[in-house]
Amino acid sequence: MTEFIKKDKNITELIEEKLKKYRDKMISARRHIHQYPEVGDKEYETANYIENLLKELDIKTERLLDTGVLGTLEPESSGYSGKCVAIRADIDALPICETVDVPFCSKNEGVMHACGHDMHTAAVLCAAMILSDPEVKSILKAPVKFIFQPAEETDGGAERMINAGCLKSPEVSHVIGCHVDPELVSGTIGVKYGYTHASSDMFDITVKGVKSHGAYPDQGVDAIVAAAQIVSGVQSIVSRNIEATEPCVITIGKFNAGTAGNIICDEAKLSGTMRTTSAQSRQTAMKRLEKTAEGIAAAMGASAEVNFRPGYISQNNDDYVTDVLIDTAKTVIDEENIIMKAKPSMGVEDFAFYSREVPSVFFFAGTGFKGRTNYGIHHEKFEADESALDIMVKLEVLTALRLMEK
């Protein structure tokens, strides 16, 4: 694959040149967005800002959702000889009070870009600036789409953007996504073949017994005791029903029961989360959880009802598209700065819905500062090294250009 870059080394140099031209505007955009963060599905000012910038670039814009913006850049030639590629950014912030002392600190009280979505958005905006530049636009072989998606942190804006048609007219062949990673220093990236994030399913278990006085337990069925046994029994699902090499986490984090210390409780409610990667493990874990809860409750004279609330699916990188990204990265940074991640995150990422539709890739951009403490995402002191934006942009633009090749 390196032949593409060798053959078109001038393209790489052209992108470097254009990045220098637009870097200040990218940094300005990032800091503006950081100052005015908005939570999921409330990103009205952010969406307006993005839309206005795209219009300045003569990029066609559409509001697919109230705060979901799609930009489409058409090539100069009407006859496409390549494949349409999309680059995605999530634009929402978190309900966190920022405590970072920077000049562009959040001005919206109680809301903060604590997950780096301002960085994602600025990088994709800069990619749009570069690809729409006349010199670069002249070499496009197919349209490029820029997906600015709301609500990644809440109910999954990705699936709604897809349902609204962001991958249609023209048909998108591949999507590129990125997330900041403060555990990696700026100048490095993290990549993984296959699963990068787990699926997420919430569940509720309602255990019903029979109420009686605490002095006469034999006259009732204790829902608390049955529920406690269910909590213990669930722990064996991962160790005894899921293949040892398959990631799976089942956590019961909420247990509500009882009205008084001297009353045998007749109802207990448990709530938890299940994280898996493969579809098979997900189905197995769901079935075993249901059977375990029902069986333990029945053995103790109680009953149990399990209800699942499906969340995000697992994010899975396509091998070929990942190959293209890695090969491109070798032309942007030293190979030693490409970190191959050994394990998937058991966190979630709604980019997974794009990957389900078309072969796609999701990578991690190191944003940690060298020689200092770096707080994790979703922390009130989270801060990203802006020098990482250069790598994010170059990888997104060059990978998109290569994926256009049929």
Side-chain angles (χ1 to χ4, degrees):
M1 288 186 187
T2 51
E3 292 180 2
F4 177 93
I5 295 296
K6 289 177 181 177
K7 180 181 70 174
D8 293 291
K9 187 177 179 182
N10 58 321
I11 294 178
T12 307
E13 293 171 351
L14 176 63
I15 301 309
E16 291 270 8
E17 175 190 324
K18 296 304 177 184
L19 177 57
K20 291 178 183 177
K21 176 180 177 180
Y22 296 112
R23 181 182 286 116
D24 287 347
K25 195 169 184 179
M26 170 178 65
I27 297 296
S28 176
R30 184 260 162 160
R31 294 183 177 186
H32 174 86
I33 294 167
H34 189 90
Q35 281 185 300
Y36 301 99
E38 298 168 294
V39 296
D41 288 321
K42 303 293 183 183
E43 314 95 330
Y44 295 104
E45 293 303 319
T46 305
N48 289 339
Y49 181 80
I50 292 167
E51 211 166 42
N52 288 334
L53 277 180
L54 294 178
K55 287 177 179 177
E56 287 178 15
L57 301 172
D58 290 327
I59 293 175
K60 175 188 173 185
T61 66
E62 298 175 77
R63 279 291 181 102
L64 297 186
L65 304 174
D66 284 349
T67 56
V69 179
L70 176 67
T72 303
L73 175 64
E74 296 282 349
E76 291 185 350
S77 173
S78 58
Y80 309 148
S81 61
K83 298 185 291 186
C84 176
V85 178
I87 311 174
R88 172 267 202 171
D90 37 11
I91 67 174
D92 56 323
L94 288 159
I96 295 174
C97 293
E98 183 169 15
T99 60
V100 181
D101 184 18
V102 292
F104 50 91
C105 184
S106 171
K107 292 185 177 181
N108 291 343
E109 188 176 352
V111 186
M112 174 191 177
H113 270 294
C115 204
H117 295 187
D118 55 329
M119 295 279 285
H120 307 165
T121 303
V124 177
L125 282 170
C126 189
M129 296 174 201
I130 292 172
L131 288 165
S132 63
D133 187 279
E135 285 187 80
V136 181
K137 186 178 179 180
S138 66
I139 64 173
L140 295 183
K141 295 185 177 181
V144 183
K145 290 189 176 184
F146 307 98
I147 301 171
F148 295 94
Q149 170 219 304
E152 190 279 330
E153 298 286 357
T154 52
D155 62 352
E159 190 170 29
R160 286 186 281 131
M161 287 290 282
I162 293 167
N163 291 338
C166 73
L167 301 182
K168 304 293 183 183
S169 302
E171 296 278 338
V172 172
S173 296
H174 306 294
V175 185
I176 302 166
C178 173
H179 202 292
V180 301
D181 188 343
E183 294 183 4
L184 302 176
V185 296
S186 181
T188 65
I189 65 165
V191 191
K192 186 181 180 302
Y193 286 95
Y195 294 110
T196 64
H197 293 80
S199 61
S200 169
D201 298 293
M202 300 299 291
F203 60 84
D204 301 300
I205 304 173
T206 301
V207 180
K208 292 192 175 182
V210 178
K211 186 180 291 186
S212 70
H213 195 282
Y216 311 105
D218 56 301
Q219 296 178 14
V221 176
D222 197 331
I224 289 180
V225 173
Q229 293 297 320
I230 289 171
V231 172
S232 297
V234 163
Q235 307 310 307
S236 68
I237 294 174
V238 174
S239 64
R240 290 296 175 266
N241 299 118
I242 305 297
E243 188 177 337
T245 56
E246 284 286 335
C248 180
V249 175
I250 302 176
T251 297
I252 294 177
K254 190 175 180 181
F255 191 135
N256 290 332
T259 57
N262 64 340
I263 300 296
I264 297 296
C265 173
D266 64 344
E267 183 174 281
K269 292 187 176 182
L270 310 174
S271 295
T273 183
M274 178 183 294
R275 305 295 176 100
T276 56
T277 53
S278 73
Q280 181 178 347
S281 293
R282 188 184 194 190
Q283 291 304 313
T284 298
M286 282 183 171
K287 289 178 181 177
R288 291 307 307 154
L289 179 65
E290 192 170 30
K291 293 294 184 184
T292 298
E294 291 174 348
I296 290 175
M300 303 188 73
S303 65
E305 181 181 351
V306 182
N307 290 306
F308 287 98
R309 290 174 279 131
Y312 294 173
I313 60 174
S314 53
Q315 152 57 25
N316 193 9
N317 276 346
D318 176 77
D319 285 353
Y320 167 72
V321 187
T322 306
D323 278 340
V324 174
L325 178 100
I326 292 172
D327 205 52
T328 303
K330 292 175 183 177
T331 71
V332 174
I333 55 178
D334 293 335
E335 192 167 348
E336 64 189 33
N337 290 326
I338 302 172
I339 312 300
M340 298 305 301
K341 287 183 172 275
K343 302 175 184 177
S345 165
M346 296 313 285
V348 296
E349 169 56 61
D350 79 345
F351 185 86
F353 293 101
Y354 301 109
S355 293
R356 181 178 66 181
E357 300 298 317
V358 295
S360 301
V361 65
F362 190 84
F363 70 98
F364 302 86
T367 55
F369 294 88
K370 294 178 182 177
R372 56 176 270 192
T373 300
N374 289 292
Y375 294 93
I377 56 175
H378 294 212
H379 192 284
E380 61 186 15
K381 292 185 178 180
F382 168 76
E383 190 177 357
D385 187 339
E386 289 179 334
S387 66
L389 286 167
D390 284 16
I391 292 174
M392 294 165 69
V393 173
K394 285 188 280 188
L395 268 182
E396 288 172 348
V397 171
L398 289 169
T399 302
L401 290 173
R402 294 183 68 183
L403 289 171
M404 279 185 194
E405 298 288 309
K406 278 198 170 177

